[in-house]
């Protein structure tokens, strides 16, 4: 892990410890989401992802900054520490955000748009990881998930770029987006300071060869390596 800044995660004071506390925080912060606003100008884009070792109570997060035009790596940082919250569906942000913020803070440059491996408004409480992270940091964020969670959608057309609404009843909470011809779609949702059309355009720009965005692919590999290094030292 040469040339990668690694920092220690510290759980913020007052961080929720119960499900009721966490849901109350979601209810309080949800009103601050700015959906529909334009995101940052093109330049760099950052992927964040998290890996866990629950037996050792360890979490590792990675933030990887890519040049938006070339998709070359500009900067990388990781953060390792104790898991901040138990596993509860719908409350995963409380496990991940302390580590993700620590990795973002360790970057030597502004992250630009942040692409999360997870959900934004496509969340039962309309406040997934991407929205939560965006509100806390003020950064433009989008969520790109591998599955539709609890929502429904019609299969998009087979060609790359085809899309269909991701629905909670009749409400569009995101979009199923085909990033490669004939490959299973990904599920894009607004996090903060962007709109759904722009989010989908950004994801297509980040998927020239693979189903998942290069941001996610790079951050996934880096956080897994950081976790393995931490386990080795543990």
């Amino acid at each position: 892990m040469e040339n990668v800044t690694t920092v220690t995660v510290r759980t913020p004071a007052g961080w929720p410890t119960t499900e009721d506390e966490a849901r109350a925080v979601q209810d309080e912060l949800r009103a601050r989401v700015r959906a529909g606003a334009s995101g940052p100008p093109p330049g760099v884009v950052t992927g964040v992802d998290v890996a866990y070792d629950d037996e050792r109570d360890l979490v590792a997060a990675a933030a990887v900054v890519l040049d938006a035009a070339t998709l070359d790596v500009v900067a990388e940082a990781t953060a390792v520490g104790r898991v901040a919250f138990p596993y509860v569906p719908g409350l995963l942000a409380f496990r991940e955000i302390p580590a993700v913020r620590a990795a973002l803070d360790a970057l030597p440059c502004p992250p630009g748009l942040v692409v999360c491996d997870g959900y934004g408004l496509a969340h039962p409480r309309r406040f997934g990881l991407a929205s939560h992270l965006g509100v806390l940091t003020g950064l433009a964020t989008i969520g790109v998930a591998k599955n539709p969670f609890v929502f429904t959608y019609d299969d998009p057309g087979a060609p790359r770029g085809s899309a269909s609404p991701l629905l909670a009843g009749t409400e569009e909470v995101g979009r199923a987006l085909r990033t490669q011809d004939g490959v299973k779609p990904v599920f894009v949702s607004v996090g903060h300071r962007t709109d759904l059309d722009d989010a989908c355009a950004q994801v297509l720009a980040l998927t020239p060869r693979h189903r998942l965005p290069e941001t996610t692919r790079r951050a996934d590999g880096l956080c897994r390596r950081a976790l393995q290094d931490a386990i080795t030292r543990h």
Side-chain angles (χ1 to χ4, degrees), residues 33-40 112-113 134 138-141 190-195 198:
V33 173
R34 288 172 55 202
S38 60
L113 175 73
L139 298 170
T141 57
V190 169
H192 184 60
R193 291 182 52 212
T194 189
D195 61 40
D198 185 59

Side-chain angles (χ1 to χ4, degrees), residues 43-45 66-74 205-206 208-209 214 218:
V44 297
V45 59
L66 304 182
D67 183 292
T70 65
L71 302 185
D72 292 333
V73 175
V74 174
L206 291 166
R209 294 177 298 277
E214 288 302 303
R218 302 291 183 95

Side-chain angles (χ1 to χ4, degrees), residues 26-223:
Q26 287 180 330
D27 290 341
E28 176 189 354
L29 296 181
R30 183 172 54 236
R32 302 185 196 177
V33 173
R34 288 172 55 202
S38 60
V44 297
V45 59
T46 296
V48 294
D49 202 2
V50 173
Y52 295 97
D53 186 312
D54 286 317
E55 286 187 8
R56 296 175 176 84
D57 192 37
L58 288 174
V59 59
V64 181
V65 185
L66 304 182
D67 183 292
T70 65
L71 302 185
D72 292 333
V73 175
V74 174
E76 299 174 315
T78 60
V80 178
R82 298 294 178 186
V83 178
F85 196 83
Y87 173 80
V88 180
L91 299 178
L92 298 186
F94 293 93
R95 283 168 67 84
E96 301 191 357
I97 280 180
V100 169
R101 288 194 72 176
L104 286 169
D105 289 345
L107 290 171
C109 59
L113 175 73
V114 178
V115 180
C116 299
D117 179 28
Y119 307 93
L121 296 182
H123 180 272
R125 302 172 73 82
R126 305 300 181 268
F127 199 66
L129 170 66
S131 297
H132 200 153
L133 181 67
V135 167
L136 290 181
T137 63
L139 298 170
T141 57
I142 62 176
V144 184
K146 302 178 184 73
N147 62 69
F149 202 14
V150 296
F151 304 111
T152 60
Y153 68 100
D154 291 330
D155 202 37
R160 167 178 159 83
S162 300
S164 63
L166 186 64
L167 298 171
T170 59
E171 179 188 359
E172 185 178 31
V173 295
R175 207 165 283 166
L177 177 66
R178 191 89 65 190
T179 55
Q180 298 297 322
D181 292 349
V183 170
K184 181 181 176 182
V186 297
F187 301 92
V188 181
S189 57
V190 169
H192 184 60
R193 291 182 52 212
T194 189
D195 61 40
L196 192 52
D197 287 341
D198 185 59
C200 288
Q202 295 279 4
V203 172
L204 284 175
L206 291 166
T207 53
R209 294 177 298 277
H210 301 283
R211 176 188 175 226
L212 296 178
E214 288 302 303
T215 40
T216 299
R217 286 164 44 81
R218 302 291 183 95
D220 174 75
L222 184 58
C223 70

